[in-house]
Amino acid sequence: MNETSRQVPEPRTRAAYRRQLAVIISLCLVLLTATSTVILTRGINYQLADVSKTYQLIQQASKTLLLVTNMETSQRGYLLTLERSYLDLYYAASLSIDESMSRLASMARGNPPQEERVREIEALTTQIQGGVRQTVQLAVEGQLGKALEDIRSDKGKMDQLRETIRNFMDEEDRRLIQRNDKIDRTRDWLTIASLAALTSAVMLAYSLLSRVQRYVRLLSEGQSALLSENVLLEERVQERTAELENARAVAERERRRVEVLLQDSNHRIGNSLATVSSLLSLQLREATNENARRVLIAARDRVQTISTAHRRLRLGDDLETVRADEFLQAVVEDITTALVPGGRIKFETAFAPLNLNARDVTTIGIILGELVTNAVKHAFPDNREGIVSISFGRGEDGVLELAVADDGVGQGKGKGKRGKRQGLGMLVIEQLCLQFGDAPHYSNNGDAGTRAVIRFPSLEVRG
């Protein structure tokens, strides 16, 4: 029983071994045939290139002979007729003969017998060309008889040149016939190699087909298992996606709630500061001392400026940044409404559309409020009309800067002396500017007025 069990697998093992051996032999035959085909194909390509070169050599030799013949013919025509038109053909042939000989010598390089013939052709051509040139020169000088004698004496050189070129072309024709015979034999071998490759390919295809069928069956079984796993995976992905959507919805609600709270906080702060400003206005009515009134007025205006900045603050989608141009324009409009109700002072603004940190924008708004308030109060005394120009953006060196210029009375000419260190307002501006790494710069604005420039070297643009 045990002996039988050992003998049963033996035919299957031998069959599998034979199949493997057949596949290996087929592959080797295919590779061998492919290699032979490549070698034979490259040989045919080389032979075709050699044939093409032979044809070119024959054509170039014929062209050289034609040029020499044209040169001689034009010489004879000129001597017989003395017409200048024959000289044009002579000159054209003379100009082309050297180039034609150079190309012929280059194409024959590598074949010693043909190189020798080319040198002989070149020597004969040079002699004939010199003789033709001499006879033409004699005819041009009027020595026609001498020129005709030279032609009769040089007649054999042209026949010798034709014979040499004919031998050259016959040799190339002989070599061409040999190459064509070799190509025919190579083509026969290539046909045999192709048939062998086809036979090997059929054997290999049959062997591979049986293997592919087995692999396809296994692949089908694996695909069924994969589809079941894919269904389970899609269910888990859908569950996870639903969880993420819920989490995103919760996060979005929280973000909106925080945004509302921040906006509400800014409005509450602004309203509280507005209330403080109103209380200071009430206290101002009770004050009789002029110094106390000035202090209360200054305090009220600054509180009003800060209140305006907070009420006008509109945060972006990230809840951290603010559009500088929109915010500063709103601050200027509020200050204009509060301080210049009659419109005697006009405001020209140019703000760059930049996204800045909300805290930095609030500080810049306070600085702007102080500068504009100072210009309105001191640059235009006695209800004088004028223009205040305000800009915010990058300067020539790329640093952000705020500029406030007026065409008023200028520094030191208005009431209260406008100057660099005047009052609490200038002190507030200087302290706030230190946060950005610079100090305010004041200068005359042309013939009249004052210009204040605040630079912000450390201020960063967001987005």
Side-chain angles (χ1 to χ4, degrees):
M1 187 67 178
N2 293 336
E3 185 177 355
T4 304
S5 62
R6 286 195 300 270
Q7 291 178 353
V8 170
E10 186 174 354
R12 296 181 180 177
T13 304
R14 289 181 179 178
Y17 175 75
R18 285 195 297 268
R19 285 197 299 269
Q20 293 177 359
L21 182 61
V23 171
I24 293 174
I25 293 174
S26 300
L27 286 174
C28 292
L29 287 174
V30 170
L31 292 176
L32 180 61
T33 306
T35 304
S36 302
T37 302
V38 171
I39 294 174
L40 292 174
T41 303
R42 293 183 63 183
I44 290 177
N45 291 334
Y46 291 147
Q47 292 169 5
L48 290 175
D50 205 7
V51 169
S52 176
K53 182 179 178 181
T54 299
Y55 280 121
Q56 292 177 1
L57 267 171
I58 293 174
Q59 291 177 357
Q60 190 63 36
S62 300
K63 179 180 178 181
T64 303
L65 179 60
L66 178 62
L67 289 173
V68 176
T69 303
N70 289 339
M71 186 170 58
E72 185 191 32
T73 303
S74 62
Q75 171 209 29
R76 294 178 181 275
Y78 178 70
L79 293 179
L80 294 175
T81 63
L82 294 179
E83 292 184 5
R84 301 291 298 182
S85 60
Y86 286 100
L87 291 181
D88 296 336
L89 181 60
Y90 160 72
Y91 290 135
S94 298
L95 293 175
S96 302
I97 191 68
D98 293 335
E99 180 183 358
S100 179
M101 285 302 308
S102 298
R103 292 188 61 185
L104 184 61
S106 175
M107 294 169 66
R109 190 173 294 117
N111 188 349
Q114 294 295 75
E115 287 182 353
E116 182 64 27
R117 289 190 179 91
V118 169
R119 285 193 290 270
E120 185 178 354
I121 293 171
E122 185 175 6
L124 290 172
T125 301
T126 302
Q127 294 175 11
I128 293 172
Q129 188 177 11
V132 171
R133 185 185 302 111
Q134 183 177 356
T135 55
V136 170
Q137 185 64 32
L138 290 173
V140 170
E141 293 175 355
Q143 302 180 27
L144 187 60
K146 183 72 168 63
L148 293 175
E149 291 179 3
D150 290 346
I151 289 178
R152 286 191 290 270
S153 62
D154 292 340
K155 185 176 181 181
K157 293 181 181 179
M158 192 63 193
D159 295 335
Q160 186 179 357
L161 176 62
R162 290 192 180 96
E163 182 66 22
T164 304
I165 292 179
R166 187 179 299 109
N167 293 334
F168 179 86
M169 296 171 65
D170 290 343
E171 175 63 19
E172 289 298 326
D173 287 336
R174 185 185 62 80
R175 294 183 61 197
L176 179 60
I177 293 172
Q178 292 178 350
R179 295 189 190 102
N180 288 335
D181 293 339
K182 189 175 181 181
I183 289 176
D184 292 337
R185 290 193 299 271
T186 303
R187 187 180 296 111
D188 294 338
W189 281 107
L190 184 59
T191 302
I192 295 172
S194 299
L195 292 175
L198 181 60
T199 303
S200 302
V202 169
M203 295 173 58
L204 182 60
Y206 175 77
S207 177
L208 293 177
L209 180 61
S210 61
R211 289 178 175 270
V212 168
Q213 288 176 347
R214 185 171 64 253
Y215 292 153
V216 168
R217 184 176 64 255
L218 296 176
L219 182 62
S220 178
E221 296 173 356
Q223 187 176 9
S224 299
L226 183 61
L227 287 175
S228 61
E229 292 293 334
N230 189 34
V231 171
L232 296 176
L233 181 60
E234 288 182 354
E235 292 177 355
R236 295 181 61 184
V237 169
Q238 291 177 357
E239 294 175 358
R240 183 58 179 165
T241 302
E243 294 176 359
L244 292 176
E245 288 292 334
N246 293 333
R248 189 186 66 81
V250 172
E252 182 65 21
R253 286 197 300 272
E254 289 298 319
R255 191 193 70 81
R256 288 197 295 268
R257 188 175 67 85
V258 170
E259 182 178 1
V260 171
L261 289 176
L262 288 174
Q263 296 291 352
D264 184 66
S265 297
N266 285 327
H267 280 288
R268 288 179 181 273
I269 293 172
N271 292 336
S272 298
L273 291 174
T275 301
V276 173
S277 177
S278 299
L279 293 174
L280 290 174
S281 297
L282 292 175
Q283 188 65 38
L284 180 63
R285 296 177 182 177
E286 303 295 331
T288 57
N289 185 278
E290 190 63 29
N291 289 332
R293 289 180 61 84
R294 282 199 300 270
V295 171
L296 288 173
I297 291 173
R300 181 196 63 186
D301 293 342
R302 288 179 178 83
V303 171
Q304 184 64 32
T305 299
I306 298 173
S307 172
T308 298
H310 277 281
R311 284 189 291 105
R312 288 289 190 173
L313 197 63
R314 295 291 183 271
L315 296 177
D317 294 336
D318 57 359
L319 303 181
E320 294 182 356
T321 59
V322 176
R323 277 284 295 269
D325 55 334
E326 298 175 356
F327 174 75
L328 297 179
Q329 185 65 41
V331 171
V332 171
E333 291 174 357
D334 286 351
I335 294 176
T336 303
T337 303
L339 299 182
V340 193
R344 62 184 178 86
I345 301 175
K346 298 186 180 300
F347 290 85
E348 298 178 352
T349 59
F351 300 129
L354 303 174
N355 290 324
L356 303 177
N357 184 277
R359 182 181 61 183
D360 295 334
V361 172
T362 303
T363 304
I364 295 173
I366 295 173
I367 294 173
L368 175 62
E370 292 290 343
L371 291 174
V372 172
T373 301
N374 183 63
V376 170
K377 288 184 176 181
H378 303 290
F380 307 101
D382 302 325
N383 292 327
R384 181 175 176 175
E385 295 182 353
I387 299 175
V388 177
S389 300
I390 309 169
S391 64
F392 177 75
R394 295 189 183 276
E396 296 180 355
D397 56 357
V399 177
L400 293 175
E401 64 180 26
L402 173 67
V404 178
D406 62 69
D407 58 353
V409 297
Q411 299 188 51
K413 297 180 181 180
K415 294 181 179 180
K417 287 185 178 181
R418 302 180 67 201
K420 193 173 183 179
R421 299 189 176 275
Q422 172 194 331
L424 180 60
M426 297 298 102
L427 180 61
V428 170
I429 294 174
E430 291 179 1
Q431 293 299 317
L432 293 178
C433 289
L434 292 177
Q435 299 180 18
F436 302 100
D438 205 347
H441 304 276
Y442 301 95
S443 62
N444 292 328
N445 185 28
D447 296 334
T450 304
R451 175 180 172 83
V453 178
I454 311 296
R455 292 165 52 83
F456 307 97
S458 62
L459 186 60
E460 296 181 357
V461 178
R462 300 287 190 87

